[in-house]
Amino acid sequence: MMNMLIVDDSSPMRSVIIKTIKLSGFGDSKFFEAPDGLTALNILRENRDIDIVITDYNMPGMNGLELLKEIKIDSMLKSIPVLFVTSEGSHARISSFMQSGAADYLKKPFTPETAKKKLNHIFGKRPYDSIVESGTESLDF
Amino acid sequence: MIQSLKAALKASISEVLETMFFLPVDMCEDFRPEEVPQDIQEDVCGCRVNFTGNVSGAFLSVIPETLLRTLVKNFLGTDSDAISKDQRTGTISEITNMIAGNTLSRWDRHAVYNLHLPRIVTCDAGIWDMASEDIPYQGCYVRSCEGNMVVHMTIGPPSEEPAGQGSLKRDIDPA
């Protein structure tokens, strides 16, 4: 069972992400929810068994990138993988995620199949196809 | 530029509505705001997403309440008729945000821009003011079996302020 923290300022979007993850083969996971980066940090510091942070980028207050940077400078949190779920697909934005230490990104709109591949990749469950799938693009760094 | 932008907008609308809202759509040809069908002028919900950077502008989605309820149900996977305001505004915000990000990245992956937070807008007669004479705009009138909707876009030069500020004064609350 995985413990997953879903960070998004949109309550409906958090529900959809959780529903999609459950359909992706992680139905027995426990889900924590936060509407912004600051709340997410508090949850992470109170619950040391979170396995992954799945976060939006564009949120009021602390955005997803600022949250990622806070996680990476915290010795107790920095090993937690961070998956971005974003509608912004510009090279500059995605580069900023990956260069700051994100584990991967999931571009909206996405399907349960795409989410499953991303999560399986992060948790090392099977080889990863990073190219030629809906909503997913490869980047060279 | 305008043609490639319009192609990106159409492709994005289809991808977003079909992938996450399970709504097949047809695109109508060019239209002017004054030509918007009557059913998209009454009892509608609107959402605006501004963007700034190498290019600036805004996306505006206008969706009749009846169609929006269907989209909420499809998005959340619920059959309940008890749709809350939070679910309605959250859903139209996600639709507009996804279409905006998808369109801009399809159009130019190397463009540098910032999407602002979605804002719910009041849908009085002035909602189309963002299409001023000096700001190029593109619009798509979208037909579906569940109803019709409009996605409207303005685009301008690089700026720290979004182009087409006309309807900002009507913003009522952040979604």
Side-chain angles (χ1 to χ4, degrees), chain B residues 150-167:
Chain B
V150 164
V151 181
H152 192 76
M153 177 185 185
T154 60
I155 188 163
S159 173
E160 292 303 311
E161 293 296 327
Q165 290 280 354
S167 65

Side-chain angles (χ1 to χ4, degrees), chain A residues 19 58 87 91 93 108, chain B residues 75 94 97 101 109 114-115:
Chain A
K19 182 186 73 174
N58 201 8
S87 59
H91 193 282
R93 181 72 70 212
K108 292 188 278 191
Chain B
F75 190 45
E94 281 302 327
N97 194 50
R109 271 202 79 196
N114 288 308
L115 287 183

Side-chain angles (χ1 to χ4, degrees), chain A residues 8-13 16 19 58-60 87-93 107-111 134 137-139, chain B residues 15-16 19-20 74-77 86-87 90 94 97-98 101-102 105 109-117 175:
Chain A
D8 197 307
D9 57 314
S10 164
S11 171
M13 194 65 217
V16 168
K19 182 186 73 174
N58 201 8
M59 297 180 287
S87 59
E88 296 191 38
S90 72
H91 193 282
R93 181 72 70 212
K107 191 170 175 299
K108 292 188 278 191
F110 56 85
T111 63
S134 174
E137 299 167 49
S138 64
L139 284 175
Chain B
E15 183 180 357
V16 168
T19 302
M20 294 201 79
N74 291 357
F75 190 45
L76 299 179
D86 183 51
Q87 289 172 324
E94 281 302 327
N97 194 50
M98 281 189 232
N102 201 296
S105 58
R109 271 202 79 196
H110 297 282
V112 178
Y113 59 87
N114 288 308
L115 287 183
H116 296 206
L117 292 170

Side-chain angles (χ1 to χ4, degrees), chain B:
Chain B
M1 177 180 108
I2 293 300
Q3 285 307 312
S4 62
L5 186 61
K6 187 164 188 175
L9 178 60
K10 286 182 173 181
S12 298
I13 293 169
S14 292
E15 183 180 357
V16 168
L17 293 180
E18 291 173 8
T19 302
M20 294 201 79
F21 298 88
F22 312 108
L23 188 75
V25 295
D26 291 323
M27 299 292 163
C28 192
E29 293 304 312
D30 295 350
F31 75 98
R32 304 284 308 178
E34 59 270 23
E35 297 166 352
V36 171
Q38 190 66 29
D39 66 334
I40 313 179
Q41 296 185 39
E42 297 174 352
D43 197 18
V44 295
C45 186
C47 180
R48 177 177 176 131
V49 172
N50 296 324
F51 59 96
T52 52
N54 284 356
V55 289
S56 66
F59 288 80
L60 172 69
S61 298
V62 180
I63 304 177
E65 290 287 353
T66 50
L67 175 58
L68 182 56
R69 286 179 175 277
T70 299
L71 292 168
V72 171
K73 289 181 180 179
N74 291 357
F75 190 45
L76 299 179
T78 177
D79 289 328
S80 171
D81 287 325
I83 304 295
S84 69
K85 179 185 177 185
D86 183 51
Q87 289 172 324
R88 287 166 47 251
T89 58
T91 298
I92 193 172
S93 296
E94 281 302 327
I95 290 171
T96 313
N97 194 50
M98 281 189 232
I99 290 172
N102 201 296
T103 298
L104 292 172
S105 58
R106 276 178 185 271
W107 178 58
D108 182 359
R109 271 202 79 196
H110 297 282
V112 178
Y113 59 87
N114 288 308
L115 287 183
H116 296 206
L117 292 170
R119 299 183 70 87
I120 299 300
V121 295
T122 55
C123 293
D124 56 25
I127 194 170
W128 306 105
D129 283 359
M130 63 188 289
S132 61
E133 290 182 0
D134 57 340
I135 302 292
Y137 77 94
Q138 290 298 305
C140 283
Y141 162 38
V142 182
R143 289 194 186 102
S144 84
C145 58
E146 299 283 348
N148 304 319
M149 60 178 276
V150 164
V151 181
H152 192 76
M153 177 185 185
T154 60
I155 188 163
S159 173
E160 292 303 311
E161 293 296 327
Q165 290 280 354
S167 65
L168 277 183
K169 61 182 181 294
R170 295 182 178 83
D171 293 359
I172 53 174
D173 59 2

Side-chain angles (χ1 to χ4, degrees), chain A residues 37-109:
Chain A
L38 197 56
T39 306
L41 270 182
N42 290 334
I43 291 174
L44 285 167
R45 287 169 177 152
E46 291 169 4
N47 299 272
R48 294 294 184 177
D49 55 352
I50 301 284
D51 295 298
I52 186 170
V53 176
I54 300 173
T55 184
D56 186 20
Y57 164 70
N58 201 8
M59 297 180 287
M62 181 186 290
N63 69 32
L65 190 57
E66 292 165 338
L67 170 63
L68 171 64
K69 290 175 179 175
E70 288 293 325
I71 289 172
K72 292 304 172 187
I73 61 172
D74 188 319
S75 60
M76 300 294 289
L77 304 177
K78 64 182 181 184
S79 63
I80 300 173
V82 176
L83 172 66
F84 274 90
V85 179
T86 178
S87 59
E88 296 191 38
S90 72
H91 193 282
R93 181 72 70 212
I94 300 303
S95 294
S96 70
F97 296 159
M98 304 308 288
Q99 290 173 358
S100 297
D104 210 335
Y105 71 100
L106 183 58
K107 191 170 175 299
K108 292 188 278 191

